[in-house]
Amino acid sequence: MIRLKKEPIRFLFIIIVSTILVQLADATATSFTVPKGEEITRSISLVVEDRVLVKFTVVGQTASTLDFFIIDPHGDVQVEYSRVGTVSYPFICDEAGEYVLHFSNTDMSEDKLVTLDYEIQHYIFGIPQMLFLTIIIVLVSVAAVATFILMGKPY
């Protein structure tokens, strides 16, 4: 009889730990060099309703600029910047798929150092994933407390 009471508690503990370990947001910060006369690309996979913030800074010896554009999953240019040094571009993904960030240094005469930082926030049913998972944890906790109370009452 005691063993039966411990099973729901163990199951609840496993569920709570699993939800905590779920990846809530993706964030990446990286630096790379774009050689003169070349173009570097970075791909990110997105789903519908993802909130994305792409930020980067360019550092060069004489000029700290390069060309930047984003290609959506259909191959269309989503945004294009020419000769920029610092960009902060937020957008909401309306088409799931692979988005490609292009850093072009084809017209420049020196290598450029790019510091890229992007953040992806996932949404579920229009609610931020973290808030959604918090609501689920609260509901499971309330159900566990109710089960504990009902199992403790003698009939």
Side-chain angles (χ1 to χ4, degrees):
M1 186 68 162
I2 293 175
R3 185 162 182 74
L4 291 177
K5 289 184 180 181
K6 289 184 179 180
E7 292 302 320
I9 293 171
R10 288 181 185 159
F11 178 73
L12 177 64
F13 179 75
I14 291 170
I15 295 295
I16 290 173
V17 169
S18 298
T19 55
I20 290 172
L21 296 176
V22 171
Q23 186 176 7
L24 299 177
D26 294 326
T28 300
T30 185
S31 295
F32 54 90
T33 301
V34 182
K36 62 181 176 184
E38 293 186 25
E39 180 177 296
I40 300 291
T41 61
R42 297 288 188 254
S43 297
I44 52 177
S45 294
L46 301 175
V47 296
V48 176
E49 291 189 8
D50 277 354
R51 273 45 171 195
V52 182
L53 174 62
V54 177
K55 296 190 293 187
F56 70 88
T57 304
V58 180
V59 177
Q61 291 177 350
T62 57
S64 296
T65 61
L66 54 68
D67 298 333
F68 170 74
F69 56 98
I70 299 176
I71 303 292
D72 66 13
H74 296 295
D76 300 326
V77 176
Q78 181 174 347
V79 66
E80 185 172 8
Y81 292 99
S82 182
R83 300 202 184 251
V84 292
T86 303
V87 170
S88 180
Y89 177 68
F91 69 96
I92 298 172
C93 178
D94 56 355
E95 185 71 34
E98 221 32 55
Y99 285 73
V100 182
L101 311 176
H102 291 264
F103 300 90
S104 177
N105 193 16
T106 55
D107 297 339
M108 310 299 172
S109 61
E110 63 184 30
D111 296 347
K112 306 295 171 114
L113 176 67
V114 177
T115 304
L116 172 64
D117 179 20
Y118 66 86
E119 180 180 331
I120 304 168
Q121 294 180 345
H122 302 291
Y123 277 61
I124 301 172
F125 303 121
I127 301 172
Q129 184 177 6
M130 186 178 294
L131 178 61
F132 182 79
L133 292 176
T134 303
I135 291 169
I136 296 297
I137 290 171
V138 167
L139 292 176
V140 169
S141 299
V142 168
V145 168
T147 302
F148 179 74
I149 290 171
L150 292 175
M151 289 179 72
K153 289 186 177 183
Y155 289 102

